[in-house]
Amino acid sequence: AELRCLIWTLQSLKDLGYQDVVIGSDFRELVEAIKKPLEWPLFRMFLQKIDTFCGMFRSVAFELESVSSNQTAREIAKSVLRDGRFQSYLALGGPAWLHQRILRDALLISS
C-alpha cells in the first residue's frame, strides 16, 4: 500500500508540474526499499515504476521522518478515508482543523 501511494504521489506531483521534490515518510521500510531496491525483490515491479517516475523529475529526494513530525500528513490521510473524500480538498483550502494543525506545527518548529 505504501509503494502504491508513493507511485500515486509521484504521478500527481509530475502532473502538477513539479520538477524538484522531497518526499518524507515515517515508514522506514519504504525509504530503505527505494534506496536499496535490489534488497527488496518481492516489490521489484513497484520499485521499477517508482524509479521510472523519479527519472521524470529534475531532482527527487526521499527522507525518513519521525512519526511525530509526520502527524499532520497522517491526519490528512485519515480524514480522506474517514470522510470519503475522493476529490482533493487541500486545493480548496482544506478544513479548519487543518489550518489550526499547520499553525501549531509551525509554532513548534520555530520555537
Side-chain angles (χ1 to χ4, degrees):
E2 294 280 342
L3 293 169
R4 286 177 190 232
C5 182
L6 180 56
I7 291 167
W8 176 86
T9 300
L10 290 167
Q11 174 68 60
S12 298
L13 291 168
K14 189 64 187 162
D15 291 348
L16 291 168
Y18 289 97
Q19 288 296 309
D20 302 294
V21 297
V22 177
I23 297 174
S25 175
D26 59 21
F27 192 57
R28 178 178 304 279
E29 290 83 358
L30 176 68
V31 177
E32 288 176 5
I34 293 164
K35 292 185 176 184
K36 298 178 182 177
L38 296 177
E39 294 180 16
W40 298 81
L42 184 62
F43 302 106
R44 181 177 42 236
M45 181 184 74
F46 293 113
L47 294 168
Q48 285 175 340
K49 278 187 176 183
I50 290 167
D51 187 56
T52 298
F53 273 114
C54 288
M56 297 177 188
F57 294 93
R58 188 170 39 219
S59 67
V60 180
F62 296 94
E63 297 179 354
L64 184 62
E65 303 288 340
S66 69
V67 172
S68 62
S69 72
N70 215 22
Q71 211 50 32
T72 300
R74 285 189 170 280
E75 290 301 320
I76 292 168
K78 286 179 190 175
S79 75
V80 167
L81 295 173
R82 179 186 61 237
D83 303 335
R85 298 179 185 272
F86 300 108
Q87 297 290 329
S88 174
Y89 65 95
L90 298 178
L92 301 173
W97 67 262
L98 180 58
H99 296 281
Q100 295 165 358
R101 188 69 186 259
I102 291 171
L103 190 58
R104 188 183 79 204
D105 288 352
L107 290 171
L108 288 172
I109 291 170
S110 64
S111 60

